[in-house]
Amino acid sequence: MRVITGTARGRRLLEPEGMAIRPTTDMVKEALFNIIQFDIEGRRVLDLFAGTGQLGIEALSRGAAEAVFCDESRSAVKLVRANLERCGLKGRVELCDSLGYLKGAGKFDLVFLDPPYDTNLLEKALELIQNVDILNDGGIIVCESRREKALPEAVAPYRKDLSRRYGKVCLTVYRKDA
């Protein structure tokens, strides 16, 4: 697991022990960032269900102005902090219930949702983001799920923009229209 490009390019990130955290593969991460490559610089990013923090770290490396990392696991929060330090990057790391955090999170331009598979956390997070309206106009939500999981359509001004499969993984992108 490494940072693909930007100021921290090539830096190896610490990986979790065991199977409690499932990091995004480099192939999927590269595909994800190819999709949103022109929507990162100067943006405020939320890496919900952060795990290792690699998605938010990649965004910071590519010029995001700010990143907030949320996870309910103490070991994940420790891992995110260590990976930020390894890359020489700064971000706000929160030990908290991810869904609860959304209720008072403020506004973001880019949100990464990669919760544990085989839960309903992804659908709940999508619903909360739309109801609380934490995305700025033109904002993007990127979801990672199992290939066979169908994600819901969005409610205006949000819309499901695209869904692409990479091996066993599906990336779904939602956008908020201006």
Side-chain angles (χ1 to χ4, degrees):
M1 198 171 57
R2 63 183 171 79
V3 178
I4 298 168
T5 196
T7 59
R9 179 181 183 190
R11 297 265 170 81
R12 288 227 165 268
L13 300 176
L14 298 173
E15 297 185 39
E17 294 179 15
M19 298 299 289
I21 298 173
R22 172 198 37 78
T24 301
T25 66
D26 282 351
M27 179 194 77
V28 172
K29 183 169 61 170
E30 191 160 358
L32 182 161
F33 280 94
N34 284 339
I35 293 168
I36 62 168
Q37 64 184 324
F38 301 113
D39 298 302
I40 301 169
E41 195 167 337
R43 305 297 176 105
R44 185 167 191 242
V45 176
L46 173 61
D47 191 347
L48 204 64
F49 314 105
T52 63
Q54 71 167 323
L55 298 178
I57 288 170
E58 186 73 39
L60 285 170
S61 180
R62 292 173 182 242
E66 176 186 359
V68 177
F69 301 84
C70 296
D71 206 292
E72 64 183 22
S73 161
R74 287 191 188 283
S75 60
V77 164
K78 185 177 176 181
L79 195 56
V80 171
R81 287 186 175 128
N83 280 332
L84 282 166
E85 188 174 318
R86 280 180 84 99
C87 295
L89 299 170
K90 299 216 181 300
R92 196 168 89 223
V93 184
E94 299 281 342
L95 174 64
C96 61
D97 169 63
S98 296
L99 296 178
Y101 179 81
L102 291 173
K103 295 174 184 171
K107 294 283 190 176
F108 291 90
D109 301 297
L110 179 58
V111 177
F112 295 114
L113 299 178
D114 184 12
Y117 287 175
D118 303 323
T119 67
N120 60 356
L121 290 171
L122 188 52
E123 292 87 347
K124 285 182 176 183
L126 281 168
E127 183 180 351
L128 263 172
I129 288 169
Q130 291 176 77
N131 290 342
V132 178
D133 195 27
I134 70 164
L135 270 191
N136 288 317
D137 289 347
I140 299 169
I141 305 167
V142 180
C143 306
E144 182 179 329
S145 62
R146 284 193 193 281
R147 176 186 176 105
E148 57 276 353
K149 186 174 186 100
L151 294 181
E153 292 300 322
V155 178
Y158 292 84
R159 64 182 164 82
K160 188 191 278 187
D161 189 46
L162 63 88
S163 190
R164 297 210 176 119
R165 292 184 170 102
Y166 303 91
K168 297 178 180 180
V169 174
C170 182
L171 293 178
T172 305
V173 176
Y174 292 86
R175 293 183 187 267
K176 181 182 178 190
D177 295 324

